[in-house]
Structure formats: structure tokens, C-alpha cells
Amino acid sequence: MKETKKKQIAILGSTGSIGTQALEVIAQHPQTFGVEVLTAQNNASLLIEQALVFTPNAVVIGNEDLYEQVRDALLPHDIKVYAGERALVSVMEMESIDLVLTALVGYAGLLPTLRAIEYGKPIALANKETLVVAGELVTGAARGKGVNIYPVDSEHSAIFQCLVGEFHNPIEKIILTASGGPFRGKTRAELAAVTKAQALKHPNWDMGAKITIDSASLMNKGLEVIEAKWLFGLQPEQIEVVVHPQSIIHSLVQFGDSSIKAQMGLPDMKVPIQFALSYPERLAAPFPRFNFLDYPQLTFEQPDLDTFQNLALAYEAMKRGGNAPCILNAANEIAVAEFLKDKIRFLDMPALIAACLAKATFVEKPTLEEYMQTDAETRRLALDLCKSNTVH
């Protein structure tokens, strides 16, 4: 019997939460997947460990100061080692890559994703910021090259799964579910005093620090709203957010005949990761099974936009268009970083983002160069506002 060729995966951000879980999925299906490229920014020791287990063709360490450490460890194992942002982008040209999983955090995912698309590589997208920052540019490039983008976020994977077999039917609206994070139901007065440690405790999901803070502030849901617009070709009014604390229904699609499809399951990122890697196949896996009797009640409520202003800011940026979502994302990345350093308070984050949206240069139809300028300008502006204490 002829052996089926393994699908060779490049994982951008292999040492983060999504990257490590993707490697667990790949390890469960060694006949189906191979690892061609692994990349990390700073976690050299874990990158080395992963490379020794999965024997990729090449690895990239973003922090050039760590190059020698990685090179020396992998030299005896015939694994190519590169370093720096430029290498991260150029390695996407490798002909042996069948699919690129972009699991980088934040703006860093944009350029390598664009390069992968340029070279015709299908994308499994876990880096929502790529579409938030430059959705029109990225989706336009993907259409031009005939490249498929498979969503990895649990919510967008849910929508994608609901649309399988329905691609010819227009969407009336989608409903993105949100857990509400650790501060669901709290007032602004209560949020004024919350700590970093409290914000990092998500009730349902185990994620990296940046996405966990975004979830606590509802910015994660705001970024997902913008991502959904570009992934599924929607208007802002077609995207609704509903708080669903149990995180069992991952999202829903409503069609023109009033029917609603929902995708359900226990909160486990390995499920959408595997679906994106294996589509159109559904591979058997030992993931825990959902039992309705364990969840006799599934509840839903409206998001509180007055208390959690980041979600409202994301809708505002999406409706404004142009480079406004890029401004939103850059300001948020600085806001989260400063909050994690205890430089600003929880409620200072939306104030900082709103200030940047008001002050940064607006461009209606940005080029890639203008997106890059917007990102840099907004980060400078956000840091200046933090230093001058004008967001307190």
C-alpha cells in the first residue's frame, strides 16, 4: 500500500501556548504530520528541546543574541538554525512547507504571514492580530494567490465548521461567544482596583499572558470581531457578541431561513488546532468528550460595553476602517505590556487605546508601508502617554 505523504508544518511561535499544543496534536498523528520549521522569539531552551524531538528541517530564533546557543545545540543533529526577524520572514519561502501555523503573538505575525501567502502556503491562523492590523491587505493577497486561511481561534473555527457545506448560502449574522473572563459582572468601580494576578486567572481557558489579559478586558473579543469581518466577508452589523460563561458553544451562524448552527465542545484549543491542520479531514483524537448531563444549564447574556469599553472601541475601529484597527491593536499591545509591568491600571488600558485612536494619524486606504508606520507611530504615542501619566 502506497504511503501517504506527510503534511509538513511550519509553526511560527512553537514555544507559546498554541505552538506547544499544536506539537501535541502532531505527536498524536505521526503518520499524518511532519514538522518542517519551528520558530521562537526568546525561549531558546524549549525551542532546542522541541527541535530534538520533532527534527525539523530548520529552526529560527528571533532574538539574535541566542543564535549561538541554539546553533551549537542543534549542529550535531543536522538541523539548520537561523536568527532574526528577516530570517523568520524568508524561511517562509521553503518549498518543503505544506502549511504554516502562525501562532506568534501580536503584530509580529503580519510579515511572515504575508510572505507565506506570497509563496502560496496555506495558513492556519492563530494570530488574530494579522487580520486586525491589515485584514484587507492579507485577505486580498490570499485571494490573489488562491491561498486558504484556516482559522485556529476556537470561535472562528466554530464558524468555519458551521459553514462547511454552507459556503453557497449567505450568512445573515454570526454570534461570537465570550466567556466574559474573570471579571464578568463586575462594575467599573470594582475593576479600578483589580490586580495583574487576578486578571491572569481565566475561568475556562489556559492561554498566554497577553491573550489572557485581552480576555479579561474583552479586547480579545473585540479583536475577534474584526478578524471575523475579514475571514468571513461580513459587515460590522452582521457580527454579534454574546457572553456565554460555560464556553461550551464556541460560536454560532444564523442563515437567511432563521436556522442557527452552533459548534459545541469542551474548552480545548487542541480541537480547533487539529481541525485547521487536518481540514477537510476530521482525525480521530483522544480529547475529552462533552456530556450534556454535566452541563444542565447553558446561559447567555449581553456584554457590558459601558464597563468593558475595549469591545466598544474595537467595533468603533472596525466601522471607521482604514488603519484604525491597526492603531487599536498597537495601542492595546502597549497597554497590555504596561499593565503587566504594573505601570498602568486595568481601566487605564481602554483610556490609553481611546486616546491613541483619537490622536494617531488616520489613513483611509493604507499600504503595507503605511500599516508599518501606523504601528510604529501608535506605539511611540502610547508609550509617551503612559510616561506622561495622561491616561490615569
Side-chain angles (χ1 to χ4, degrees):
M1 190 174 177
K2 189 181 175 186
E3 188 179 344
T4 307
K5 181 183 176 290
K6 290 183 186 180
K7 187 184 285 188
Q8 295 296 330
I9 313 292
I11 302 180
L12 306 184
S14 65
T15 59
S17 175
I18 296 293
T20 53
Q21 291 179 85
L23 287 172
E24 289 177 39
V25 168
I26 289 169
Q28 288 172 346
H29 302 283
Q31 306 307 314
T32 307
F33 304 117
V35 176
E36 188 65 9
V37 176
L38 295 174
T39 85
Q41 182 60 27
N42 293 307
N43 196 340
S45 56
L46 182 53
L47 180 64
I48 291 164
E49 188 182 314
Q50 292 174 339
L52 292 174
V53 172
F54 290 94
T55 60
N57 189 349
V59 303
V60 181
I61 182 75
N63 183 340
E64 296 184 37
D65 294 338
L66 300 170
Y67 170 69
E68 288 184 10
Q69 179 190 344
V70 179
R71 181 201 63 192
D72 293 349
L74 299 181
L75 195 61
H77 301 276
D78 198 28
I79 296 169
K80 302 180 190 75
V81 178
Y82 305 102
E85 187 181 338
R86 207 173 271 183
L88 182 65
V89 174
S90 60
V91 81
M92 293 296 92
E93 300 171 17
M94 288 170 58
E95 285 184 14
S96 49
I97 296 170
D98 295 317
L99 181 137
V100 177
L101 170 61
T102 57
L104 297 164
V105 175
Y107 174 82
L110 176 61
L111 292 180
T113 302
L114 281 171
R115 180 61 61 88
I117 290 170
E118 185 185 334
Y119 279 80
K121 313 293 185 191
I123 306 294
L125 188 69
N127 172 252
K128 63 178 68 66
E129 291 89 347
T130 290
L131 289 184
V132 171
V133 168
E136 192 167 10
L137 200 70
V138 173
T139 53
R143 274 194 304 274
K145 288 286 182 179
V147 165
N148 287 328
I149 298 176
Y150 303 113
V152 171
D153 265 348
S154 61
E155 295 82 359
H156 301 89
S157 175
I159 294 161
F160 181 53
Q161 291 181 58
C162 290
L163 289 175
V164 172
E166 301 276 8
F167 294 120
H168 59 294
N169 287 322
I171 297 169
E172 187 166 294
K173 71 174 178 180
I174 64 168
I175 303 163
L176 293 173
T177 55
S179 69
F183 304 137
R184 181 176 65 89
K186 291 198 180 297
T187 64
R188 281 186 68 77
E190 289 171 315
L191 289 181
V194 301
T195 65
K196 175 174 69 179
Q198 290 171 315
L200 285 168
K201 284 184 183 170
H202 194 280
N204 299 334
W205 295 93
D206 180 17
M207 307 174 289
K210 196 266 183 184
I211 193 171
T212 305
I213 299 300
D214 281 347
S215 183
S217 72
L218 285 199
M219 178 54 87
N220 191 48
K221 206 52 50 180
L223 299 178
E224 287 174 5
V225 164
I226 300 170
E227 183 185 7
K229 167 186 162 59
W230 294 112
L231 276 174
F232 305 110
L234 302 172
Q235 297 302 312
E237 57 273 13
Q238 290 178 285
I239 307 168
E240 190 178 315
V241 172
V242 170
V243 175
H244 167 49
Q246 297 82 19
S247 295
I248 294 299
I249 295 178
H250 299 305
S251 279
L252 312 95
V253 179
Q254 182 164 9
F255 297 96
D257 63 354
S258 81
S259 293
I260 293 179
K261 277 188 175 182
Q263 190 267 334
M264 304 172 67
L266 295 170
D268 185 345
M269 278 307 300
K270 289 195 283 293
V271 178
I273 290 168
Q274 180 173 293
F275 189 74
L277 297 186
S278 66
Y279 181 82
E281 304 297 324
R282 280 191 187 272
L283 301 178
F287 306 139
R289 270 41 180 177
F290 170 71
N291 183 346
F292 275 98
L293 300 182
D294 294 335
Y295 291 85
Q297 276 196 315
L298 299 178
T299 61
F300 307 90
E301 57 200 62
Q302 285 280 89
D304 181 353
L305 298 185
D306 292 328
T307 302
F308 297 92
Q309 295 176 347
N310 277 347
L311 181 53
L313 289 169
Y315 268 103
E316 180 190 315
M318 176 172 61
K319 288 171 182 170
R320 194 174 170 198
N323 68 338
C326 182
I327 295 168
L328 176 94
N329 180 72
N332 180 62
E333 287 191 22
I334 295 296
V336 171
E338 294 298 288
F339 175 69
L340 287 170
K341 293 176 196 166
D342 297 312
K343 298 282 182 68
I344 62 174
R345 296 176 306 222
F346 189 79
L347 288 182
D348 292 332
M349 291 194 290
L352 177 62
I353 295 160
C356 288
L357 280 168
K359 295 181 180 185
T361 308
F362 177 70
V363 182
E364 191 171 351
K365 291 196 176 299
T367 61
L368 177 59
E369 185 63 36
E370 285 169 326
Y371 279 124
M372 293 167 74
Q373 289 167 358
T374 295
D375 181 77
E377 178 200 343
T378 305
R379 286 169 193 272
R380 285 194 303 270
L381 173 61
L383 285 169
D384 287 346
L385 288 169
C386 287
K387 283 172 190 166
S388 63
N389 290 325
T390 51
V391 293
H392 292 292

